[in-house]
Amino acid sequence: MSEERKPVGIIGTGLMGTACARRLLAAGFGVLGYDTDAGKCGAFMALGGRAARSVAEIAHDCDKVVIAVFNTDQVEDTIEGPRGLLATRPAAAPPLMAICVSTCDPDRIAALAARLPAARLRYVAAPISGTSEQTARGEGLGLIGGERAAVDAARDVIEAICPRWHRLGATGNGGRAKLAINLILGINRAALAEGLVFAERMGLAPETFLNVARDSAAYSQIMDIKGGKMLTGDFSPQGYATQSLKDFSLMLEQARRLKQQLPLAETYAALMKGCVAAGEGELDNSAVIREIRRRTS
């Protein structure tokens, strides 16, 4: 099998992994996907991707792999675990290029990249700013961190997934930018939800109010992406509440290391904990409006 015809591996075929697959297939790549939850492979295969039976199959059949797992622990295990990419990559194969789109602890990711043997695996951190639906439409923004040579080697995959992207320097910097951007987005979601609930409690028609707010100085893209979901109660996930809680927990952990208070991030994390406690963790993060509605005096 020639290098040009090898499929791109995707490890983690949930919302973001499937969105990446959609972009790669549209760009003419073959994709070979694996997930520990075999049930998640259905949507992936419906797009035209092939399902792998193991990480080892991807390590054997692919020279480039997109990692789209849930958290830092899973990234480390995917690469360094006993059944991970390093352990199962054939010894004579060229270095595997790993492009990780997961939102992770940037310090641990920087340490991971530093200890990886370059002759076996090259790593690019490529978290994406945008929902899974935005990513599938080519509207996600790639926040790229890594050595320039590695980024150049991964450019075809990066640009297929994210036509818009920025290289931010060292490996951990993409993740640092993603956390800071997600902080702003989460607070914007909460602000929109709170404004909608407040307007509704004062007797304003929610749909009319949202249209007016879109035309006001308060406008943000969140109104277009999440406003309709909040009003209709359509919480089909573009990004899970559990993911938002994981991201904000990472932010607060980073802030504690830096001795910086993040009072609004603490408030948002508490809202997401309320959603998860109410059994809404697998709903879209726009379900924050439910938690705000529950907070009555």
Side-chain angles (χ1 to χ4, degrees), residues 57-273:
E57 186 176 345
I58 287 178
H60 184 273
D61 290 356
C62 305
D63 284 341
K64 294 178 180 176
V65 56
V66 174
I67 299 173
V69 296
F70 181 67
N71 60 21
T72 313
D73 288 343
Q74 292 180 6
V75 171
E76 291 172 338
D77 186 62
T78 295
I79 293 175
E80 298 180 306
R83 297 183 180 87
L85 294 169
L86 281 175
T88 59
R89 179 75 168 168
L96 183 65
M97 172 58 65
I99 302 107
C100 182
V101 300
S102 305
T103 303
C104 296
D105 181 319
D107 296 336
R108 286 173 62 183
I109 290 300
L112 170 66
R115 66 179 178 261
L116 289 173
R120 298 278 293 145
L121 189 144
R122 305 171 77 189
Y123 186 95
V124 171
I128 299 169
S129 177
T131 67
S132 56
E133 288 191 6
Q134 286 177 299
T135 299
R137 295 194 298 265
E139 298 169 5
L141 177 67
L143 304 168
I144 311 302
E147 295 181 357
R148 187 174 295 279
V151 173
D152 287 344
R155 183 182 292 264
D156 56 345
V157 171
I158 292 169
E159 292 185 343
I161 296 171
C162 293
R164 298 184 304 127
W165 59 280
H166 295 279
R167 179 176 176 268
L168 294 158
T171 306
N173 286 352
R176 294 180 181 106
K178 176 67 183 293
L179 290 180
I181 288 170
N182 276 11
L183 188 155
I184 297 168
L185 286 172
I187 292 167
N188 278 346
R189 281 193 298 271
L192 173 60
E194 188 165 299
L196 288 171
V197 170
F198 186 44
E200 186 178 60
R201 295 283 192 254
M202 291 191 296
L204 296 175
E207 296 84 358
T208 301
F209 172 73
L210 179 58
N211 287 333
V212 171
R214 280 195 182 105
D215 204 31
S216 77
Y219 172 76
S220 74
Q221 191 183 68
I222 291 294
M223 293 180 181
D224 300 330
I225 298 168
K226 300 293 186 178
K229 296 178 76 65
M230 291 180 183
L231 292 186
T232 63
D234 170 19
F235 300 121
S236 53
Q238 300 171 339
Y240 296 110
T242 50
Q243 289 177 317
S244 284
L245 179 56
K246 179 262 296 184
D247 290 355
F248 271 75
S249 297
L250 278 174
M251 294 169 204
L252 293 172
E253 182 180 338
Q254 286 282 307
R256 282 190 290 271
R257 294 177 195 168
L258 298 167
K259 301 187 185 305
Q260 172 63 55
Q261 290 188 10
L262 299 176
L264 297 180
E266 290 172 1
T267 298
Y268 185 83
L271 291 169
M272 287 292 98
K273 286 179 182 177

